[in-house]
């Protein structure tokens, strides 16, 4: 697989409109909340039905880590839910790291706090906005003219497991009738990450990661695109997930439909989905795009993650021997309370 970020917006629009059909677009907290359901009580992953398997647990089609509460899958059995849930979630959480905090993603336990490795610096989203505690010489925060650069470190994570967590979400929201084409993808998802893969999905194992500046500009939204016909040499299914400050896009492995991919003389390329913010002059700046190879099954340790945070207003408190708890009290900051905050309404820009 290959990619090309240099395509301009018009070319990308043409690529998507000519080669793909939009299959779905769901936005969290909108009027129509989809339930990913089939009527015959059969697990979309293992194909087993009740009473062989049970469907007691609430299966989130999209990870709760990124703020999902509504997108629930009714046809994921408890065994599959357990099997896929733990490992993928854990790796995804470590990969997203501080970005969940800075994008104010409300997960099951509220907005997570971020603590640096040494435990001496931390970021909390509070009733007074974002509060960052840091000590001199820690190199955690680098102040810039109109913002600050936060130097964080990701906890150890496996890139392949992170990629799989996106694939799992893409399959959870795919209309059921398409699941038939993805049986080998499901088998591959269930493989132990340290084992040699029987299915070889290497060509697919990367993500397009886009950073959108601004205070939580993106509502949790999912897009699915299916190739218009089987003659076109592009991946069969592309999935895009946007939330907070990030847009993630993957080509979902589908050996059944993509058996021809990569065999022709022309390299297969995919491009970032044109986003509505690219069509306007967005006040917070441009979208940054990264292409990341995610095929490493091993844990990556100590990966740096720098995030720039612009601000209009920043107050710096010097400790001056005071206890942090006292400073927080004086300023009326409650680390456990959240600022009431409305995301940007794109229609008002
Ligand atoms: Zn199952």
């Amino acid at each position: 697989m290959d990619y090309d970020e240099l395509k301009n917006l018009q070319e990308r629009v043409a690529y998507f409109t000519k080669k793909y059909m939009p299959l779905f677009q769901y936005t969290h907290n909108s009027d129509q909340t989809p339930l990913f359901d089939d009527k015959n009580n059969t697990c979309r992953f293992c194909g087993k039905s009740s009473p062989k398997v049970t469907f007691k647990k609430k299966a989130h089609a999209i990870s709760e880590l990124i703020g999902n509460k509504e997108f629930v899958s009714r046809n994921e059995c408890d065994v599959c839910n357990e099997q896929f849930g733990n490992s993928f979630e854990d790796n995804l959480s470590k990969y997203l790291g501080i970005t969940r905090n800075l994008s104010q993603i409300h997960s099951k336990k509220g907005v997570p706090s971020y603590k640096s490795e040494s435990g001496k610096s931390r970021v909390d989203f509070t009733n007074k906005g974002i509060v960052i505690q840091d000590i001199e010489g820690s190199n955690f925060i680098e102040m810039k003219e109109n913002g600050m650069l936060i130097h964080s470190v990701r906890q150890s994570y496996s890139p392949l497991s992170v990629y799989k967590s996106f694939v799992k979400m893409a399959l959870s929201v795919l209309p059921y009738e398409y699941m038939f084409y993805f049986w080998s993808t499901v088998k591959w998802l269930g493989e132990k990450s340290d084992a040699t893969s029987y299915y070889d999905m290497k060509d697919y194992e990367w993500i397009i990661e886009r950073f959108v500046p601004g205070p939580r500009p993106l509502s949790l939204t999912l897009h699915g695109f299916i190739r218009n016909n089987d003659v076109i040499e592009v991946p069969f299914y592309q999935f895009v997930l946007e939330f907070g400050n990030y847009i993630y896009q993957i080509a979902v492995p589908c050996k059944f439909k993509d058996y021809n991919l990569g065999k022709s003389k022309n390299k297969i390329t995919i491009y970032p989905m044109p986003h509505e913010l690219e069509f306007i002059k967005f006040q917070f700046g441009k979208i940054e795009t990264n292409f990341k190879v995610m095929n490493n099954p091993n844990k990556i340790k100590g990966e740096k993650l720098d995030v720039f945070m612009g601000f209009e207003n920043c107050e710096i408190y010097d400790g001056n021997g005071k206890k942090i708890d006292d400073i927080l009290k004086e300023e009326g900051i409650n680390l456990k309370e959240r600022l009431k905050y409305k995301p940007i309404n794109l229609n008002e820009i």
Side-chain angles (χ1 to χ4, degrees):
M1 200 84 67
D2 200 4
Y3 48 78
D4 183 358
E5 62 181 307
L6 302 174
K7 286 267 179 200
N8 67 34
L9 187 55
Q10 277 159 338
E11 286 171 308
R12 286 188 282 126
V13 169
Y15 168 88
F16 272 90
T17 48
K18 280 184 193 150
K19 297 179 197 282
Y20 284 94
M21 164 182 98
L23 191 61
F24 57 80
Q25 179 177 333
Y26 305 122
T27 302
H28 199 256
N29 276 332
S30 60
D31 293 340
Q32 318 124 323
T33 298
L35 280 171
F36 303 99
D37 190 18
D38 80 314
K39 302 287 181 287
N40 58 15
N41 217 10
T42 302
C43 175
R44 64 164 57 218
F45 292 104
C46 66
K48 291 178 186 158
S49 309
S50 60
K52 267 193 175 170
V53 288
T54 53
F55 296 85
K56 286 179 188 150
K57 287 181 196 152
K58 193 174 181 183
H60 285 90
I62 298 297
S63 172
E64 280 183 288
L65 287 174
I66 56 176
N68 172 40
K69 291 186 176 60
E70 298 176 351
F71 300 143
V72 170
S73 172
R74 285 191 187 156
N75 56 4
E76 178 175 336
C77 79
D78 295 336
V79 178
C80 290
N81 182 255
E82 179 83 12
Q83 184 194 0
F84 295 135
N86 300 343
S87 151
F88 297 164
E89 292 277 292
D90 183 50
N91 281 283
L92 181 64
S93 153
K94 286 170 176 162
Y95 176 76
L96 295 175
I98 196 170
T99 64
R100 284 169 67 214
N101 187 274
L102 297 179
S103 300
Q104 302 154 28
I105 304 298
H106 295 197
S107 66
K108 214 192 295 190
K109 296 173 190 151
V111 179
S113 294
Y114 174 86
K115 292 189 188 85
S116 68
E117 267 193 314
S118 65
K120 286 175 180 160
S121 315
R122 60 180 289 167
V123 178
D124 294 276
F125 182 55
T126 76
N127 58 327
K128 297 271 172 163
I130 290 176
V131 171
I132 297 170
Q133 299 174 37
D134 195 16
I135 54 166
E136 231 175 322
S138 76
N139 193 32
F140 178 55
I141 305 287
E142 195 181 320
M143 297 304 289
K144 304 269 181 188
E145 199 178 317
N146 54 351
M148 61 189 145
L149 198 56
I150 303 178
H151 301 285
S152 79
V153 177
R154 287 186 163 116
Q155 288 178 272
S156 302
Y157 74 97
S158 143
L160 181 59
S161 295
V162 172
Y163 175 72
K164 282 185 171 183
S165 76
F166 286 114
V167 173
K168 158 72 175 32
M169 290 190 252
L171 292 185
S172 297
V173 299
L174 186 68
Y176 190 73
E177 60 268 29
Y178 288 95
M179 285 303 288
F180 167 76
Y181 302 122
F182 292 87
W183 67 269
S184 67
T185 311
V186 173
K187 295 271 183 215
W188 162 82
L189 274 182
E191 285 181 333
K192 290 226 164 18
S193 61
D194 51 352
T196 309
S197 175
Y198 180 75
Y199 297 97
D200 187 16
M201 302 297 190
K202 284 269 182 295
D203 277 355
Y204 292 98
E205 289 163 1
W206 49 271
I207 53 176
I208 299 178
E209 181 182 72
R210 312 189 79 195
F211 174 78
V212 182
R216 202 171 61 184
L218 306 169
S219 298
L220 174 54
T221 302
L222 328 170
H223 311 257
F225 297 90
I226 287 283
R227 184 170 67 203
N228 263 335
N229 65 58
D230 288 344
V231 180
I232 304 173
E233 292 188 325
V234 292
F236 179 62
Y237 174 29
Q238 289 198 46
F239 174 68
V240 182
L241 174 64
E242 43 178 283
F243 59 95
N245 293 89
Y246 289 88
I247 304 169
Y248 290 96
Q249 182 177 341
I250 59 167
V252 182
C254 186
K255 289 276 179 172
F256 188 93
K257 279 287 193 182
D258 292 344
Y259 65 94
N260 227 359
L261 278 200
K263 287 184 182 161
S264 68
K265 277 174 274 169
N266 301 320
K267 270 199 160 181
I268 283 80
T269 47
I270 77 164
Y271 313 109
M273 177 193 76
H275 192 273
E276 54 191 335
L277 288 177
E278 294 180 271
F279 294 90
I280 57 169
K281 196 172 181 322
F282 187 44
Q283 65 189 106
F284 296 102
K286 275 194 166 177
I287 298 178
E288 274 171 39
T289 306
N290 276 302
F291 295 84
K292 294 185 152 182
V293 177
M294 302 298 279
N295 63 12
N296 186 351
N298 303 313
K299 296 265 181 195
I300 294 200
K301 286 193 185 121
E303 187 176 83
K304 290 197 167 80
L305 171 60
D306 289 348
V307 185
F308 180 78
M309 221 179 110
F311 49 67
E312 280 173 19
N313 181 21
C314 172
E315 294 174 52
I316 299 176
Y317 297 97
D318 198 327
N320 266 340
K322 277 188 195 166
K323 282 189 181 151
I324 285 175
D325 286 348
D326 292 337
I327 299 175
L328 296 176
K329 214 173 174 185
E330 272 171 31
E331 298 301 326
I333 294 169
N334 182 345
L335 291 184
K336 299 219 164 79
E337 222 177 273
R338 298 198 299 257
L339 181 70
K340 296 273 181 292
Y341 176 81
K342 256 179 76 186
I344 297 170
N345 183 348
L346 288 178
N347 299 325
E348 289 169 6
I349 291 177

